[in-house]
Amino acid sequence: MTIKRAASLFAWILFAVIAYSTMSPLDLRPRIGHLVHLERFGAFGLLGLLFAIAYPRRLGLVLVLVFATAIGFELLQMVSADRHARVTDVMVKLLGGACGVFGGWFLHRFRLPLLRLLGR
């Protein structure tokens, strides 16, 4: 299995986990700790990174997918009685997703020069 294929698999699994976490009732939502903004930033950062690694030639589409996911899932919370949509939550998710996609672009762009620099 190649790195791109593994990244694609893990990206889609993470997408499903984020969907479940976003739409499940609050008491069933998985939590890592008390820093929910850090959880949101990290989840969307990892999502953006994995999709950028999986689809390095389609970074514009990846960015749109990650942004649409953040906005769409947040808006879907308005349908649920015990969930709420907040602008700050969306902003944290968008920032995390953008950082992840940029990180994936950086890895793809500078992978070979870095390997040469390291002597590999």
Side-chain angles (χ1 to χ4, degrees), residues 33-96:
H34 296 293
L35 303 171
V36 292
H37 283 311
L38 185 60
E39 288 179 13
R40 292 177 182 120
F41 183 90
F44 277 86
L46 183 58
L47 185 70
L49 177 68
L50 288 172
F51 272 123
I53 290 171
Y55 308 104
R57 298 190 194 283
R58 301 184 186 273
L59 290 181
L61 185 61
V62 166
L63 195 60
V64 168
L65 173 71
V66 172
F67 280 11
T69 300
I71 294 167
F73 284 170
E74 197 68 27
L75 290 175
L76 280 173
Q77 286 185 358
M78 294 190 326
V79 177
S80 179
D82 66 338
R83 301 303 297 261
H84 53 273
R86 292 188 180 150
V87 174
T88 56
D89 294 350
V90 172
M91 297 308 291
V92 168
K93 292 173 182 180
L94 291 175
L95 185 60

Side-chain angles (χ1 to χ4, degrees), residues 5-18:
R5 187 167 271 212
S8 176
L9 175 67
F10 287 122
W12 287 110
I13 290 171
L14 181 59
F15 180 89
V17 169
I18 290 173

